[in-house]
Amino acid sequence: MAPDIVIEPIAVRHIESYHQALDVVARERRYLTFLEAPPLEDTRKFVLDMIENRHPQFVAVKDGGVIGWCDIRRHFFPSHAHRGSLGMGIVPAHRGQGLGLRLMETTLKQAREYDIIRVELSVHADNARAIRLYEKAGFVSEGVSKDAVHIDGRYLDVVNMALIFSLT
């Protein structure tokens, strides 16, 4: 990874740049549930909620702009509060450089510190690169949801994966 890329907790100063990065990845129409970023104000509310409620969220920053992110949102119900859902993305120009693993490891470390025991994610079944990355980080497949995503007239299966931290 380039030495001029810094991974840091998301902060208010990152919101607009994070929104732009989210939009770039979403408009690829291949990796995210979003097909475009939500309105900036919705993104602002999401980030402020993540910060206020201590959900792990980190961004990769280069030259003052967000080029990637990873977050884990803890489940709402108390009986599920040991679980969180992981989301991440990296803008195209910075993929394949080890940034995704670094972002994930940083975010997972904080999740563990926040007593999140189980981290879940869903990934499009045709995204072999991401599946390999998640497996490298310790995630295992728990099953496939058939035709779970519909983009541009195409149905895609989704692989459901999880990482469970040891309780010992």
Side-chain angles (χ1 to χ4, degrees):
M1 193 173 83
D4 56 342
I5 297 174
V6 177
I7 294 178
E8 56 192 36
I10 199 161
V12 172
R13 70 181 178 280
H14 298 122
I15 292 173
E16 288 184 24
S17 182
Y18 164 70
H19 180 261
Q20 291 168 353
L22 176 62
D23 195 55
V24 166
V25 176
R27 288 181 185 272
E28 290 180 274
R29 305 173 73 84
R30 292 192 58 206
Y31 305 113
L32 303 180
T33 298
F34 293 118
L35 300 179
E36 63 183 50
L40 178 59
E41 280 312 306
D42 291 350
T43 301
R44 184 180 315 281
K45 288 176 190 170
F46 171 79
V47 171
L48 293 175
D49 179 72
M50 293 291 283
I51 293 169
E52 180 181 333
N53 289 296
R54 297 182 66 219
H55 299 284
Q57 186 173 24
F58 288 83
V59 290
V61 179
K62 180 177 180 178
D63 300 325
V66 171
I67 59 169
W69 72 90
C70 184
D71 56 64
I72 299 173
R73 187 164 189 84
R74 186 185 295 274
H75 287 268
F76 175 76
F77 295 109
S79 60
H80 294 259
H82 66 287
R83 298 170 43 207
S85 295
L86 183 139
M88 67 179 300
I90 298 171
V91 298
H94 295 281
R95 293 181 187 144
Q97 303 170 24
L99 181 56
L101 185 60
R102 239 182 102 198
L103 268 167
M104 224 183 338
E105 288 174 344
T106 303
T107 307
L108 288 168
K109 181 176 186 272
Q110 188 171 76
R112 186 68 179 109
E113 291 168 2
Y114 288 0
D115 294 324
I116 296 174
I117 303 304
R118 177 185 168 88
V119 180
E120 305 160 336
L121 62 85
S122 295
V123 57
H124 297 177
D126 65 351
N127 191 348
R129 186 182 202 176
I131 292 169
R132 281 191 307 274
L133 171 66
Y134 298 137
E135 289 173 342
K136 189 173 186 178
F139 284 83
V140 296
S141 175
E142 293 190 325
V144 175
S145 298
K146 302 300 254 174
D147 296 335
V149 175
H150 185 246
I151 299 174
D152 297 332
R154 226 173 50 119
Y155 289 93
L156 300 168
D157 296 346
V158 168
V159 178
N160 302 300
M161 302 182 81
L163 180 146
I164 302 172
F165 295 110
S166 172
L167 294 175
T168 57

